[in-house]
């Protein structure tokens, strides 16, 4: 997924932002840096098992993210502060990622 986003510096990610929101289930997650306007933005890509997207949506409420079935793309504050946010910069990064990934991605707003 990070390659589809033209991401740089891929790596594993714990996605503790889900635990903060109340989801403690299984996940596979990675972090990468993508182009974002005049700079770069770190995004987290989260894959969850079938049947869990509703719980993940509730855990990510209050943040901008893109979703396709069981995969979520969440713009992060920084590489070290891996929470999402509801500001305009995160909205634009979410929309950019959804456009880059294709038409079946849905942008979710806080």
């Amino acid at each position: 997924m990070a390659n589809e986003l033209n991401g740089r510096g891929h790596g594993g990610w714990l996605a503790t932002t889900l635990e903060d929101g109340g989801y403690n289930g299984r996940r596979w997650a990675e972090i990468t840096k993508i182009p974002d306007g005049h700079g770069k933005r770190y995004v987290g890509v989260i894959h969850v098992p079938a049947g869990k997207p509703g719980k993940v949506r509730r855990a990510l409420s209050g943040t901008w993210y893109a979703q396709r079935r069981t995969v979520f793309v969440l713009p992060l504050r920084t590489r070290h502060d891996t929470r999402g946010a509801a500001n305009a910069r995160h909205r634009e990064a979410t929309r950019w990622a959804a456009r880059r990934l294709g038409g079946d991605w849905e942008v979710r707003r806080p």
Side-chain angles (χ1 to χ4, degrees), residues 1 7-8 10 22 25 28 30-31 37 44 46 50 53 56 65 77 80 84 87 89 100 104 106-109:
M1 185 68 56
R8 300 286 183 253
H10 320 318
W28 177 83
E30 64 182 324
I31 189 171
I46 305 167
V56 173
Y65 63 91
R77 293 174 190 243
H80 303 290
N87 62 32
R89 291 172 50 200
R100 175 84 176 152
D104 56 344
E106 190 172 338
V107 172
R108 302 280 184 155
R109 50 191 268 171

Side-chain angles (χ1 to χ4, degrees), residues 60-79:
L60 294 176
S61 66
T63 63
W64 284 96
Y65 63 91
Q67 178 190 3
R68 182 183 71 191
R69 293 186 291 272
T70 61
V71 181
F72 296 81
V73 175
L74 173 70
L76 308 174
R77 293 174 190 243
T78 68
R79 181 179 183 190

Side-chain angles (χ1 to χ4, degrees), residues 8 21 38 43 45 48 51 53-55 59 66 70 83 85 91 95 109:
R8 300 286 183 253
H38 297 292
V43 296
V45 180
V48 296
K55 290 182 179 182
T70 61
R83 295 174 292 155
R91 180 188 67 220
R95 289 180 177 167
R109 50 191 268 171

